[in-house]
Amino acid sequence: MISQTPIRPGDGRYLFRGVMVGDGHRAAGTSLSAAQDKAGVPPGIWKGRGLAAVGLAAGDVVTERQAELLLGEGRHPDGDRIERERLQAGDDPARARRASVLGRPIEHNRSPKTEKAKERIPWLGMHLVFRPPPTAHIAWALMGHEIRLVLELCQDIARDKTLEWLEDAVAQIRWKGGGKHRAGVRDGLIVAVFRHYESRAADSKPLLHDHALVSIRARRPDEKGTWGNLSADTMLAHIVAADTLYVLTFMEEVSARLGWAWEPREVTPGRRPVMEIAGIDQRLIGWQSTRRQQIEEALFVLTAEYVEEHGHEPGERAGYGLACRAADRTRPPKRKELRSLSELRERWRESAIAAFGADVIDRLAERAREAAAAVWARVRPVVDIALAAVDVVAVVYVMRGAFKRHHLLAEARRYLAYVLRGRPHQPGLDETIVQTVVDDYTRPVGRGWKMTADLHALYPRDTDDQAVLRPLTRKRTAPRYARARLAAAALAARVQAVRRAERLGSRTRPHSVAVPGTSRCGLRLSRPDRKAGPAQEQQQGTDIAALEQTRATIEAVAKMAAKLKDGVRRRAVAPGPAPRPAPSPPSHTQQPGVQQTPGRTPTGGVA
């Protein structure tokens, strides 16, 4: 998952003495590289296409001074050199410092000339944390060295693809009109990435995760390439969609490189399940996520307080805020003892073997492969666009009522993760599902590009069936997500029923004809007030031809019966030996004048 917090002036101490050295304790006067070597964490690297504008390249090592200037003061990463050159050119200190600032200086918000901005603390960046599912931490910590490297590579790919999507499809910059308008950035984002290996818990459990510090400074798409601030509300609105993209990409990379499959695991009854590696012993999740248990206990208390205050369960946005508050409440102090990754892995393995036995730990990879084979055998790698669309719109409609496109996109990616279980999907399939929902099952509502579910489109034929969906969405005793799943199942069942009816209606029956008065489903007469289309005229022509053929068949049978009766009458009048009496049937009486045929009924049916 992805969590986010803002970076404001004054947060530099936490970033430079905690995040950059693996959440450990960094003594005063210790250089960044020395603290990273002692902590056993790799140095931070720069990411993003916006690096070229400040003279950096992707993969360069993040120095402490660069991070202080960009993320702590909103200045150019090489601002010291720029300021020194301007001072040598004869500029005064204030002008020389202003030349190294990217965009508006943070001191502007403290100026008495600004009305509302002087009371607002400016943002300098966004702190994003990328964490894989818990079973991925277990496999990374307890399996072999090669599997560890593969999982770290999957983490790199999933994180980088998510950051690329954010800078391509999401990142916008304030543009003209007092910042009310938005436009895409000219180059891209500037991101500093730091990798950590363990959690903040006192017992130091495995937690492979990356800290991505995204600078809020970006260039506008004008001729001069002036600098401004990213639209923070736009970035925040798409965090959930970015989270689902990251998890979906990580699952696909792991399945493609290791052959493992994924299964849903219900953490909290009635809430969204999380996808975990199939075959990993569920007991190891509790051993690994002791901090998660502390957060869940605090979240339970906060949720109960929210329900008592508001009278209903928290929605998706409120639940995310409560989870962040629970994490802050249970945050332990930084550890003072730092160990290398090899020492940590050895300690984790000893702890897991002591708790669950060597057989469970040594067979983790084997059981993951066996479970993957069982999952692949029962789960088809097929995505039905229509079923995906009704599932997405039902869940989002019940969860939110009114929604935007990025809400649909996040749910579409969750649907792909659940249906494919790690198999790759075609590029753009999530956007295709969203576009299908927007085109077929939504209608605009309110302002701000909001929409809601169009119930008349979901139930096009009769309005009485709308009662199927509404009680499910208003069942207040069930959790919101449970009601959403009930609504999605009801819509999916309706789609399947319509498809079955269409298949049965289009199936040809060459051995059956419609006879008026003898068939339960006779010819359907069209309404006199409705015009017949080409397909209906063709169907009427086919029914008339079948009726004429039936009449001709009946007349031929009648003529044949008359001939048989005449022959019997002539043989009865002509002299000759008396005919043998026919044996009477045991259970029925044979009708006179009808000749039995082997394999037919005694009454001589006509097809």
Side-chain angles (χ1 to χ4, degrees):
M1 61 172 294
I2 299 177
S3 61
Q4 67 81 28
T5 53
I7 301 176
R8 294 187 173 96
D11 296 340
R13 182 177 180 84
Y14 166 71
L15 297 177
F16 308 141
R17 298 192 177 275
V19 172
M20 296 184 182
V21 292
D23 284 334
H25 178 75
R26 178 185 175 188
T30 306
S31 64
L32 178 61
S33 58
Q36 290 172 342
D37 292 339
K38 184 178 180 180
V41 296
I45 57 176
W46 290 107
K47 291 286 184 180
R49 291 199 306 269
L51 294 171
V54 292
L56 298 173
D60 290 349
V61 176
V62 180
T63 65
E64 184 173 9
R65 185 54 181 166
Q66 289 175 344
E68 288 177 351
L69 290 172
L70 181 63
L71 301 172
E73 301 177 8
R75 300 168 61 191
H76 195 284
D78 200 9
D80 292 339
R81 178 188 58 82
I82 297 175
E83 186 176 0
R84 185 171 57 252
E85 292 177 353
R86 297 303 296 266
L87 288 174
Q88 293 175 359
D91 290 346
D92 59 90
R95 184 181 295 272
R97 178 181 175 82
R98 181 65 182 86
S100 65
V101 176
L102 302 179
R104 177 177 294 177
I106 58 177
E107 291 82 3
H108 175 79
N109 295 72
R110 305 170 186 172
S111 173
K113 296 181 180 180
T114 58
E115 298 177 358
K116 297 181 180 180
K118 62 182 179 182
E119 301 177 358
R120 184 177 60 227
I121 300 177
W123 283 31
L124 294 175
M126 296 181 62
H127 181 191
L128 306 180
V129 183
F130 294 80
R131 290 190 296 269
T135 47
H137 306 313
I138 297 171
W140 169 81
L142 302 180
M143 293 187 185
H145 178 70
E146 295 182 356
I147 293 180
R148 177 182 72 85
L149 295 179
V150 171
L151 290 175
E152 291 180 3
L153 176 61
C154 296
Q155 170 75 352
D156 293 338
I157 296 174
R159 179 204 63 217
D160 293 345
K161 284 188 176 180
T162 306
L163 291 175
E164 290 175 2
W165 178 75
L166 285 174
E167 66 181 355
D168 290 339
V170 177
Q172 293 181 344
I173 196 168
R174 299 170 185 172
W175 182 260
K176 297 180 180 180
K180 297 181 180 180
H181 301 282
R182 302 289 188 268
V185 296
R186 178 173 181 175
D187 305 307
L189 302 178
I190 303 177
V191 188
V193 178
F194 299 88
R195 170 153 295 177
H196 293 177
Y197 295 137
E198 52 184 332
S199 65
R200 296 173 59 100
D203 51 356
S204 177
K205 292 301 182 181
L207 183 62
L208 174 67
H209 62 287
D210 293 332
H211 293 260
L213 309 180
V214 182
S215 173
I216 204 170
R217 307 298 190 187
R219 290 208 299 174
R220 297 187 178 92
D222 54 10
E223 297 179 356
K224 297 181 180 180
T226 57
W227 289 85
N229 292 338
L230 291 173
S231 175
D233 54 352
T234 304
M235 296 286 289
L236 293 177
H238 289 78
I239 287 297
V240 178
D243 175 31
T244 54
L245 175 62
Y246 161 71
V247 174
L248 178 62
T249 307
F250 184 82
M251 291 172 53
E252 293 180 353
E253 292 295 329
V254 170
S255 298
R257 298 176 186 276
L258 296 175
W260 296 346
W262 298 77
E263 286 186 333
R265 177 176 67 92
E266 186 181 51
V267 180
T268 304
R271 298 293 182 90
R272 294 183 185 274
V274 297
M275 302 302 296
E276 301 287 1
I277 300 173
I280 301 295
D281 196 328
Q282 299 294 314
R283 297 175 298 172
L284 290 171
I285 298 178
W287 165 81
Q288 179 267 339
S289 56
T290 55
R291 166 132 172 83
R292 181 62 187 174
Q293 294 175 0
Q294 297 173 356
I295 295 176
E296 289 179 356
E297 293 174 358
L299 181 60
F300 178 80
V301 176
L302 292 175
T303 304
E305 295 175 355
Y306 182 92
V307 173
E308 183 178 358
E309 179 180 356
H310 297 84
H312 60 84
E313 292 286 335
E316 189 171 3
R317 185 173 182 178
Y320 181 82
L322 293 177
C324 294
R325 289 175 55 188
D328 293 337
R329 283 190 180 184
T330 59
R331 186 180 300 275
K334 293 185 175 67
R335 299 178 307 277
K336 296 184 179 181
E337 183 182 1
L338 301 176
R339 303 182 184 89
S340 64
L341 179 58
S342 58
E343 294 175 348
L344 290 173
R345 283 172 53 85
E346 184 177 356
R347 174 173 291 193
W348 293 333
R349 183 174 179 83
E350 293 175 355
S351 174
I353 290 177
F356 306 103
D359 180 68
V360 175
I361 305 305
D362 293 338
R363 296 186 59 192
L364 283 176
E366 178 183 354
R367 291 177 178 174
R369 288 191 295 268
E370 294 174 355
V375 172
W376 300 144
R378 73 174 186 269
V379 178
R380 297 178 58 194
V382 177
V383 176
D384 192 317
I385 301 296
L387 292 179
V390 296
D391 189 283
V392 168
V393 71
V395 173
V396 177
Y397 171 68
V398 176
M399 296 291 290
R400 306 191 65 89
F403 45 85
K404 293 186 178 181
R405 187 182 181 91
H406 56 83
H407 299 124
L408 299 173
L409 185 59
E411 191 60 35
R413 290 167 177 171
R414 292 192 189 102
Y415 181 86
L416 293 176
Y418 178 80
V419 171
L420 297 178
R421 306 295 177 91
R423 290 188 177 95
H425 69 280
Q426 297 178 355
L429 183 57
D430 50 353
E431 294 285 354
T432 302
I433 296 174
V434 172
Q435 192 61 42
T436 303
V437 173
V438 173
D439 293 341
D440 299 341
Y441 302 120
T442 61
R443 58 181 178 85
V445 59
R447 297 179 179 179
W449 302 98
K450 283 189 175 182
M451 62 190 92
T452 188
D454 188 357
L455 298 182
H456 293 285
L458 293 172
Y459 296 94
R461 296 189 177 178
D462 49 13
T463 58
D464 294 338
D465 285 345
Q466 292 182 11
V468 177
L469 181 65
R470 291 176 180 174
L472 298 179
T473 61
R474 296 177 181 176
K475 189 178 180 182
R476 296 297 183 184
T477 57
R480 191 183 298 266
Y481 183 71
R483 287 182 276 144
R485 294 312 316 164
L486 290 174
L491 288 177
R494 181 176 178 83
V495 171
Q496 298 286 14
V498 171
R499 289 180 175 179
R500 285 194 297 269
E502 291 178 352
R503 286 198 302 268
L504 293 176
S506 62
R507 184 179 300 171
T508 57
R509 303 177 184 179
H511 301 289
S512 63
V513 294
V515 180
T518 60
S519 176
R520 294 182 60 186
C521 51
L523 295 177
R524 179 176 297 176
L525 301 179
S526 60
R527 296 179 181 179
D529 57 343
R530 183 173 298 180
K531 295 183 179 180
Q536 188 175 358
E537 293 176 357
Q538 183 179 1
Q539 179 67 25
Q540 291 178 356
T542 304
D543 294 338
I544 294 174
L547 181 60
E548 294 297 334
Q549 183 179 0
T550 303
R551 290 176 179 176
T553 304
I554 294 176
E555 292 176 359
V557 172
K559 292 181 181 178
M560 185 180 297
K563 290 182 180 180
L564 289 175
K565 289 182 179 180
D566 293 339
V568 171
R569 190 180 300 109
R570 285 195 301 268
R571 284 195 298 271
V573 175
R580 297 180 181 180
S584 59
S587 60
H588 61 274
T589 303
Q590 183 175 351
Q591 298 294 331
V594 179
Q595 184 179 2
Q596 281 201 11
T597 304
R600 303 294 297 275
T601 61
T603 56
V606 178

